[in-house]
Amino acid sequence: MWRSGWRTSGVLRRLSGRSASLGAWRWASTTACERALLRYRVGEKIHGFTVSQVTSVPELTLTAVKLSHDGTGAQHLHLAREDRNNLFSVQFRTAPADSSGAPHVLEHTVLCGSQRYPCRDPFFKMLNRSLSTFMNAFTASDYTLYPFSTQNPKDFQNLLSVYLDAAFFPCLRELDFCQEGWRLEHEDPSDPQTPLVFKGVVFNEMKGAFTDNERIFSQHVQSRLLPDHTYSVVSGGDPLCIPDLTWEQLRQFHATHYHPSNARFFTYGNFPLEQHLKQIHEEALSKFQRIKPRTAVPAQKPWDKPREFQVTCAPDSLAAGSSEQTTISVSFLLPDITDTFEAFTLNLLSSLLISGPNSPFYKALIESGLGTDFSPDVGYNGCTRDAYFSVGLQGIAEKDIQTVRDLVDRTLDDIIEKGFEDDRIEALLHKIEIQMKHQSVSFGLALTSYIASCWNHDGDPVELLKLGSQVARFRKCLEENPKFLQEKVKQYFKNNQHKLTLSMKPDDKYSEKQMQLETEKLKQKVNSLSPEDKQQIYEKGLELQAQQSQPQDASCLPALKVSDIEPRIPFTEVEVALAAGDTPVQYCTQPTNGVIYFRAFSSLNTLPEELRPYVPLFCNVLTKLGCGGLDYRELAQQVDLKTGGLAAAPHVLPDDSHLDTYEQGVLFSSFCLDRNLPDMMHLWSEIFNNPCFEEEEHFRVLVKMTAQELSNGVPDAGHLYASIRAGRMLAPAGDLQETFGGMDQVRLMKSVAEMTDIKPILRKLPRIKKHLLNCDNFRCSVNATPQQMSQVENSVDSFLRTLSRSKKERKPVPPHVVEVRLCPLPARRARKPSESKPCSLAFDPVLPCSHLSLAVKSPDWRATWAGDAAASELEASRRCTLTLIVSSVHFLERTLPAHLSLGVFSFLWETFYFQKPAPKGPGRHSLVTRKLVMDPTFKPCPMKTHFLFPFPVNYVAECIRTAPYAAPAHASLKILARLMTAKFLHTEIREKGGAYGGGARLSYGGIFTLYSYRDPHSTETLQSFLKAIDWAKSGRFTQQDINEAKLSVFAAVDAPVAPSDKGLDCFLYGLSDEVKQAHREQLFAIRHEDLVDVSNRYLGAGRSTHGVAVLGPDNASIAKDPSWVIR
């Protein structure tokens, strides 16, 4: 995977793998941390390594142990922490001299077989023989990184063995180079009369990568600001230069770069360090001698005057005809990233300059109305030896280039004169504090990514981790010199002659010109071939095709067994109590390290249909427009000072029991330090009760930024957009998912952004607010420590009491809404008598196959029902009736079309079971109710859509309506999806077809998706999908294949869950641990005949409804087929 220029802006997000940033499992980490601190001593020899440093890093609750290998000089950093999700990585400094993509192609090829594991593609095969929580490889601008993580010690040793052998002893076979890198091959390899074309996985990956105009711009910024050495070329490979790379050059690059003396090893977690060192030494390092690697990247020579460049790109196909598609940025060279404190300071300074509506560049550039969003790669970039800072605008008119340049200069002058407000600096330091406490499950991966660039250039990775001491030093500098930051701005920006102004404008002929350049390159290659060369190419194509089709013996690879999987899941206790009268609040006690996580879900059932497309926009701007007495700048400041962020997002939650039933709503989420809980809940109260929808100009700014972000995201997420569209007509939830997150939403936002009068859209927001921001159909969830719960309950109760309620009950817009109640069981946590009775959530065991079997039971249900024979008899009767209903529906699903079986189900449910609830009273209250939307008239229908984009690659998806989570067939389909991916689709789509990726997956809602990513083919890939289904129906797979698929599925099922997210499935989906355990047991029990059965029952032609979508260039065969809708 290429990630040239890959970064996250700021020290905070560089420790993150998602928007809220990553923390770690800190609550019990003293054991591993203290053990390492006591165990290791400087100078100690361990399995060929010598300990050089042992350092406690209390702010991250870890102990850092630095070592060097005596024989080779290889460096090793171990971070001891009480985290079960252990991680290993090895990185090499790989500085290419040209854009042929040598490090990137090598990254792919070393994973195609090694001396100890010579089978083809052991990397992908290990995905199915392991319980890894992460496996991948990355090529950056000047290093290549190979990380994996797992919670299983045996699995760790297995993966370590495979990674070590791949990195240091790869086969590097010529055919693997041809498959992964590039090759000349006949369009049809078996027909020498078809034309010769370029093929190869990396070749197509990079063609896809450079369909993204943001990536094109970022690459030009780096290449032109740092022109003297490796950063002037494309490490991932320029598609026009990749065909210049030879197999021999690849082998030589490996010999000079993949040596232990040029390697940096990293381990993280609570597994013993000694075992890691022993294995690394014995299996790899002991077989090498020390060398002096010649891979150092020299510093960029500073310029004596600024420079300017202009480049071109393809027009935005979603903004056809717009004249405002130019991008401009001003970039400055900054100091070497190995000066860790200076890098830390400039990182914070960057955040002060560009982050949020209170930052000076946001005010000067974004609010100028000249553009749609900041230019790509904005802010501090510390991924190259010499860091740099960029700022600018995209979506401007070409005539405004000079205006933007002048605004940048004036803004810097203003900052030097006025400095920064104290509250902004404190808000930024608060963000660092909360992010250090915030917890996640991929902290090891975040750390190895965070330190990689600095360590790559011989910086001190341990110093980089000491965030607490860096913050203290930063504060001291500010105290001693109030103009400390202003002087940095003057030094590095105002007086910096190494300054690049880069502009990029669209060229209508850009894609055509790129295609012409590729055609000329191909013609040049073909014309240089002799008849013997052409015959050799034909024969090599046949040889590669035969190799790809030949079954592989993977018995040499290590593997876990299904018996290594834990038979039971760890149960999460959640409790529910009513707050502010009748609003259910789920409490999940977790070791959250002093952070409180709050969520709320509000139903959209009463929202008029015409307002639904604007819900995502409403959610995006709700927390950014101001509220109560706070304008949008003041609100942003308070959010940064008191919380880790406030967010709202629309959700479509499929039912676990029926494909045509779902819940719709908006999820509100936030987190804060415990001391700031009252302030956070007060902010939510003001947002819910007094949102500001009068800021028209700022609303316009937010709309433009939203539209630009959506448009820019299409090239990287094309397969997701294709999948959403393909599933649109297969279930009622599909249309809403397209409305909220599909291409319909992208196009809507682009059209809104281009409106001259935006008031009609702004007037929709108060109407949405009336239906959404109230206590009707509302539920909350809190994760916190036991010590925090009392404070939490009071604050949440106070918040809920401020919310409005409808004076009269609004009727739901969907005609059929079913209330499904979760059944409370006796609570395990004591409460005061004045408090609402809590309950633990669990499914009734009578019918574990369906949540429709849930009954309502109070904490005192045994005593209540024992004294009420009539009620007990009624409930027993209702249960028997429900058993009959669900059994009938399962039978009907197998024998009738889906829309007919649903109609019968709806009739049975509403007639025999769904009666008016009994009056609430002692021992008979239902605490959590999900209001599910049903459409008895829905009939799935096939639909084919082709979205035309000027891409050189395609994104293809085919969706099939199958079975929901609670159905026994769902487990079989989940195993089948993984089986088809590993044993058929990977070979057909990636190895033979040359696509960067492809496979099959099953959604929680029962939509089975076949997809490809950055694919040179479209209709041919659809034919591969058909072949995959035929393969599955024929049962041409072994028990070993099934076991491997189970391992891969359980790796995802058992992926670690952060304390902040514990109980979330129960809160959102009503999915209890009991039902998860039942599903788990179904997965264990899957047999060969089960997989063949579901293949024939659901995937075969005529059995289930299929939908298809393609994003990509014009296709003649699709254009001639009237069954396709062209968009």
Side-chain angles (χ1 to χ4, degrees):
M1 176 186 293
W2 180 61
R3 61 176 192 183
S4 175
W6 178 91
R7 68 191 181 95
T8 48
S9 60
V11 66
L12 306 174
R13 285 169 55 193
R14 285 204 291 163
L15 276 174
S16 70
R18 56 184 179 139
S19 59
S21 183
L22 296 177
W25 301 80
R26 298 176 171 84
W27 59 92
S29 54
T30 54
T31 304
C33 181
E34 290 183 356
R35 185 167 60 244
L37 198 59
L38 295 172
R39 165 68 182 83
Y40 304 111
R41 293 289 177 266
V42 173
E44 181 180 359
K45 304 283 188 180
I46 311 173
H47 298 299
F49 287 83
T50 299
V51 177
S52 60
Q53 182 181 346
V54 181
T55 305
S56 174
V57 186
E59 54 264 58
L60 300 178
T61 327
L62 58 82
T63 294
V65 183
K66 287 176 69 174
L67 311 97
S68 61
H69 187 252
D70 300 333
T72 64
Q75 301 176 49
H76 190 117
L77 176 63
H78 177 68
L79 301 183
R81 217 152 176 272
E82 195 56 39
D83 188 342
R84 291 180 59 239
N85 195 24
N86 287 251
L87 179 129
F88 165 85
S89 72
V90 59
Q91 76 177 65
F92 303 94
R93 188 190 292 144
T94 49
D98 56 44
S99 295
S100 65
H104 189 193
V105 175
L106 183 60
E107 173 225 305
H108 281 242
T109 312
V110 299
L111 299 174
C112 290
S114 60
Q115 290 181 14
R116 192 173 176 185
Y117 307 111
C119 63
R120 194 177 78 246
D121 235 348
F123 174 81
F124 282 98
K125 288 180 173 59
M126 285 304 294
L127 289 171
N128 305 295
R129 302 167 74 89
S130 157
L131 291 173
S132 65
T133 55
F134 184 84
M135 282 179 65
N136 215 327
F138 304 102
T139 301
S141 295
D142 52 16
Y143 68 84
T144 306
L145 181 73
Y146 296 88
F148 72 78
S149 61
T150 180
Q151 303 174 87
N152 185 293
K154 180 181 177 183
D155 197 29
F156 191 99
Q157 293 179 27
N158 290 347
L159 290 169
L160 180 56
S161 182
V162 172
Y163 266 61
L164 290 174
D165 211 57
F168 294 104
F169 311 107
C171 294
L172 296 182
R173 294 171 289 235
E174 185 177 11
L175 286 181
D176 292 332
F177 164 71
C178 293
Q179 172 185 286
E180 295 298 315
W182 77 277
R183 64 188 182 276
L184 275 176
E185 189 176 86
H186 291 282
E187 202 167 71
D188 179 355
S190 60
D191 182 0
Q193 301 307 312
T194 57
L196 288 170
V197 294
F198 287 132
K199 295 183 182 181
V201 173
V202 170
F203 178 77
N204 287 314
E205 177 188 347
M206 296 309 296
K207 284 180 70 175
F210 284 115
T211 61
D212 181 352
N213 285 346
E214 286 197 311
R215 199 178 295 245
I216 293 172
F217 189 84
S218 297
Q219 182 64 50
H220 278 295
V221 168
Q222 177 177 294
S223 299
R224 296 177 185 275
L225 188 69
L226 303 166
D228 290 357
H229 195 58
T230 191
Y231 306 117
S232 65
V233 303
V234 184
S235 64
D238 183 328
L240 295 175
C241 299
I242 290 173
D244 295 331
L245 181 66
T246 68
W247 177 44
E248 184 52 45
Q249 288 172 339
L250 184 86
R251 290 159 59 87
Q252 183 60 33
F253 195 89
H254 179 269
T256 55
H257 292 79
Y258 279 49
H259 189 280
S261 300
N262 191 46
R264 289 154 181 81
F265 294 88
F266 176 90
T267 50
Y268 163 89
N270 63 357
F271 292 166
L273 171 61
E274 288 83 354
Q275 173 61 40
H276 303 335
L277 298 178
K278 183 175 187 293
Q279 190 172 353
I280 292 169
H281 173 74
E282 292 179 353
E283 296 188 13
L285 303 193
S286 63
K287 300 168 185 176
F288 291 87
Q289 298 296 319
R290 185 191 298 260
I291 65 168
K292 187 172 182 179
R294 302 179 184 275
T295 58
V297 178
Q300 169 66 44
K301 183 181 177 181
W303 299 339
D304 55 7
K305 63 179 181 180
R307 300 180 185 179
E308 299 178 19
F309 292 96
Q310 186 176 84
V311 296
T312 59
C313 65
D316 182 354
S317 58
L318 295 172
S322 173
S323 61
E324 298 178 347
Q325 295 189 41
T326 296
T327 299
I328 179 178
S329 78
V330 181
S331 304
F332 303 88
L333 185 71
L334 298 178
D336 192 317
I337 59 174
T338 59
D339 184 343
T340 53
F341 179 68
E342 196 73 355
F344 178 82
T345 300
L346 291 171
N347 220 328
L348 295 189
L349 178 58
S350 171
S351 294
L352 289 169
L353 289 171
I354 64 167
S355 295
N358 291 299
S359 66
F361 278 120
Y362 188 101
K363 294 175 182 178
L365 297 181
I366 298 297
E367 294 184 349
S368 69
L370 294 172
T372 55
D373 201 351
F374 279 126
S375 55
D377 215 22
V378 66
Y380 179 85
N381 189 320
C383 293
T384 50
R385 171 172 173 168
D386 297 295
Y388 57 92
F389 173 89
S390 295
V391 67
L393 279 176
Q394 58 182 306
I396 71 168
E398 188 176 1
K399 64 181 178 61
D400 291 327
I401 288 178
Q402 187 58 46
T403 304
V404 174
R405 296 176 63 175
D406 293 340
L407 283 173
V408 170
D409 291 339
R410 282 205 301 270
T411 303
L412 292 173
D413 289 337
D414 288 344
I415 295 166
I416 292 169
E417 179 184 349
K418 301 174 184 176
F420 300 97
E421 297 174 1
D422 290 343
D423 274 357
R424 289 209 62 228
I425 297 173
E426 282 305 315
L428 189 60
L429 296 178
H430 164 262
K431 191 174 287 187
I432 294 176
E433 179 186 5
I434 196 171
Q435 302 297 2
M436 285 194 295
K437 285 179 171 289
H438 178 64
Q439 304 180 48
S440 178
V441 295
S442 303
F443 194 55
L445 181 62
L447 288 176
T448 195
S449 299
Y450 176 55
I451 67 174
S453 291
C454 179
W455 198 16
N456 189 53
H457 298 288
D458 300 319
D460 188 344
V462 177
E463 283 300 312
L464 202 63
L465 297 174
K466 294 180 179 179
L467 297 178
S469 62
Q470 291 175 3
V471 169
R473 183 177 172 186
F474 179 77
R475 285 188 180 277
K476 185 177 180 181
C477 289
L478 284 176
E479 290 171 7
E480 293 175 350
N481 179 9
K483 292 192 174 183
F484 172 67
L485 291 175
Q486 289 154 272
E487 290 174 0
K488 296 294 181 187
V489 173
K490 188 174 183 180
Q491 175 186 358
Y492 291 120
F493 303 121
K494 179 68 176 176
N495 297 334
N496 190 347
Q497 292 301 302
H498 199 114
K499 174 182 177 182
L500 170 73
T501 301
L502 179 71
S503 60
M504 182 174 74
K505 65 177 184 178
D507 178 356
D508 291 339
K509 303 285 188 181
Y510 180 85
S511 298
E512 184 180 322
K513 290 176 182 177
Q514 291 299 113
M515 186 63 68
Q516 182 61 36
L517 288 172
E518 182 181 325
T519 301
E520 291 173 3
K521 185 80 172 183
L522 178 63
K523 184 178 179 180
Q524 174 191 345
K525 288 281 185 183
V526 173
N527 288 343
S528 67
L529 298 174
S530 66
E532 292 78 13
D533 292 333
K534 292 180 180 179
Q535 179 64 26
Q536 190 176 22
I537 286 174
Y538 171 62
E539 291 172 357
K540 192 174 291 183
L542 293 177
E543 184 183 359
L544 178 59
Q545 189 178 48
Q547 176 181 287
Q548 292 167 336
S549 302
Q550 182 179 353
Q552 286 288 305
D553 179 9
S555 59
C556 62
L557 289 171
L560 294 181
K561 300 176 181 177
V562 174
S563 58
D564 292 320
I565 302 170
E566 290 291 334
R568 300 192 63 81
I569 61 170
F571 275 47
T572 301
E573 182 179 329
V574 296
E575 298 175 347
V576 173
L578 297 180
D582 60 358
T583 301
V585 181
Q586 174 182 294
Y587 297 96
C588 186
T589 301
Q590 290 291 318
T592 55
N593 197 34
V595 181
I596 295 171
Y597 300 88
F598 170 79
R599 294 180 176 91
F601 189 84
S602 183
S603 173
L604 286 169
N605 285 351
T606 66
L607 188 70
E609 201 67 39
E610 71 270 14
L611 295 178
R612 292 180 190 279
Y614 301 94
V615 170
L617 176 61
F618 176 89
C619 292
N620 192 39
V621 305
L622 177 63
T623 60
K624 301 171 186 173
L625 284 176
C627 61
L630 304 174
D631 63 24
Y632 68 91
R633 297 194 202 279
E634 293 166 334
L635 175 59
Q637 185 81 333
Q638 288 302 305
V639 168
D640 286 345
L641 275 170
K642 301 298 183 182
T643 80
L646 308 180
H651 277 58
V652 182
L653 307 176
D655 180 34
D656 68 351
S657 297
H658 209 286
L659 294 171
D660 297 331
T661 308
Y662 64 93
E663 186 177 20
Q664 55 181 343
V666 168
L667 179 67
F668 303 91
S669 56
S670 62
F671 62 101
C672 68
L673 300 173
D674 51 9
R675 67 174 185 263
N676 292 326
L677 179 63
D679 295 308
M680 182 177 77
M681 300 314 297
H682 176 70
L683 288 174
W684 275 126
S685 180
E686 289 293 290
I687 288 170
F688 269 65
N689 290 301
N690 304 297
C692 177
F693 297 132
E694 288 79 42
E695 289 276 1
E696 181 182 343
E697 286 309 309
H698 189 57
F699 177 64
R700 183 184 296 277
V701 166
L702 294 175
V703 166
K704 285 185 176 182
M705 292 179 73
T706 299
Q708 190 68 58
E709 288 170 3
L710 287 173
S711 178
N712 291 343
V714 172
D716 272 342
H719 61 307
L720 301 180
Y721 284 110
S723 298
I724 292 172
R725 170 59 64 140
R728 178 180 184 178
M729 302 303 292
L730 303 185
D735 189 57
L736 193 56
Q737 287 166 337
E738 172 70 28
T739 299
F740 285 169
M743 285 304 303
D744 280 1
Q745 180 65 206
V746 177
R747 292 177 181 275
L748 172 67
M749 288 309 304
K750 291 293 286 185
S751 66
V752 171
E754 293 167 7
M755 293 173 64
T756 54
D757 182 8
I758 208 165
K759 289 189 184 72
I761 307 301
L762 187 59
R763 285 195 289 267
K764 296 178 188 294
L765 304 189
R767 296 175 59 197
I768 296 174
K769 182 259 181 191
K770 183 173 65 173
H771 292 270
L772 186 63
L773 304 185
N774 55 59
C775 261
D776 305 334
N777 305 321
F778 198 72
R779 62 182 185 268
C780 301
S781 168
V782 178
N783 286 28
T785 65
Q787 297 83 1
Q788 297 165 334
M789 278 305 180
S790 177
Q791 176 195 10
V792 167
E793 291 167 20
N794 292 332
S795 293
V796 172
D797 187 82
S798 298
F799 159 68
L800 291 171
R801 291 185 186 280
T802 67
L803 301 190
S804 62
R805 297 173 186 274
S806 301
K807 295 179 180 178
K808 62 177 182 178
E809 184 177 358
R810 293 191 180 97
K811 292 184 178 180
V813 172
H816 297 271
V817 174
V818 176
E819 290 192 6
V820 178
R821 299 176 177 85
L822 302 184
C823 55
L825 295 177
R828 301 188 182 100
R829 182 161 67 89
R831 302 271 180 125
K832 297 177 182 179
S834 61
E835 294 179 327
S836 302
K837 290 184 178 181
C839 64
S840 297
L841 298 182
F843 282 105
D844 189 300
V846 175
L847 286 171
C849 63
S850 172
H851 85 294
L852 296 177
S853 63
L854 295 181
V856 180
K857 295 188 278 190
S858 76
D860 305 315
W861 63 276
R862 291 180 177 84
T864 304
W865 288 2
D868 186 349
S872 181
E873 183 176 344
L874 173 62
E875 185 62 28
S877 173
R878 284 160 60 89
R879 287 198 191 183
C880 291
T881 302
L882 185 54
T883 303
L884 177 62
I885 292 172
V886 175
S887 299
S888 300
V889 171
H890 286 172
F891 170 75
L892 291 168
E893 283 183 324
R894 293 193 298 269
T895 56
L896 292 178
H899 67 286
L900 293 181
S901 65
L902 176 59
V904 176
F905 159 77
S906 180
F907 172 76
L908 293 170
W909 173 256
E910 294 181 1
T911 303
F912 294 111
Y913 190 81
F914 188 60
Q915 303 165 10
K916 291 182 179 180
K920 292 183 179 179
R924 194 171 280 283
H925 59 274
S926 175
L927 297 184
V928 182
T929 301
R930 297 180 69 217
K931 294 193 174 182
L932 306 180
V933 178
M934 298 180 63
D935 186 357
T937 65
F938 176 80
K939 182 178 180 180
C941 62
M943 185 176 185
K944 297 179 180 179
T945 308
H946 185 197
F947 289 100
L948 290 175
F949 281 92
F951 299 160
V953 291
N954 297 276
Y955 305 86
V956 185
E958 180 169 359
C959 291
I960 307 168
R961 177 185 167 97
T962 60
Y965 182 86
H970 189 93
S972 298
L973 288 161
K974 187 180 287 187
I975 300 292
L976 183 66
R978 188 59 223 168
L979 192 66
M980 292 170 71
T981 297
K983 301 301 176 181
F984 191 89
L985 291 169
H986 175 77
T987 299
E988 293 295 316
I989 294 175
R990 182 179 167 112
E991 293 184 349
K992 294 182 181 180
Y996 182 39
R1001 59 172 177 260
L1002 178 67
S1003 73
Y1004 175 83
I1007 302 300
F1008 193 97
T1009 303
L1010 302 147
Y1011 67 94
S1012 70
Y1013 181 73
R1014 292 182 182 169
D1015 189 346
H1017 307 292
S1018 55
T1019 52
E1020 299 90 339
T1021 297
L1022 292 172
Q1023 289 300 311
S1024 294
F1025 293 164
L1026 290 175
K1027 293 177 185 177
I1029 292 171
D1030 290 339
W1031 174 85
K1033 289 164 61 179
S1034 71
R1036 295 199 300 269
F1037 42 84
T1038 66
Q1039 185 59 46
Q1040 176 63 25
D1041 296 336
I1042 297 171
N1043 291 343
E1044 290 180 7
K1046 287 183 179 181
L1047 281 168
S1048 183
V1049 167
F1050 274 108
V1053 169
D1054 292 341
V1057 179
S1060 58
D1061 296 335
K1062 291 278 189 179
L1064 189 56
D1065 285 342
C1066 185
F1067 175 67
L1068 289 179
Y1069 297 92
L1071 195 60
S1072 75
D1073 286 338
E1074 289 84 356
V1075 170
K1076 288 182 183 178
Q1077 181 62 37
H1079 180 70
R1080 185 183 194 81
E1081 290 165 6
Q1082 290 173 345
L1083 290 171
F1084 276 120
I1086 299 303
R1087 302 164 301 172
H1088 188 280
E1089 51 265 40
D1090 298 323
L1091 300 174
V1092 174
D1093 174 60
V1094 295
S1095 300
N1096 284 282
R1097 183 149 43 112
Y1098 291 101
L1099 305 187
R1103 299 299 298 176
S1104 296
T1105 310
H1106 294 228
V1108 176
V1110 174
L1111 271 72
D1114 191 20
N1115 183 289
S1117 62
I1118 290 178
K1120 289 186 285 188
D1121 187 341
S1123 68
W1124 284 83
V1125 176
I1126 311 296
R1127 297 288 298 273

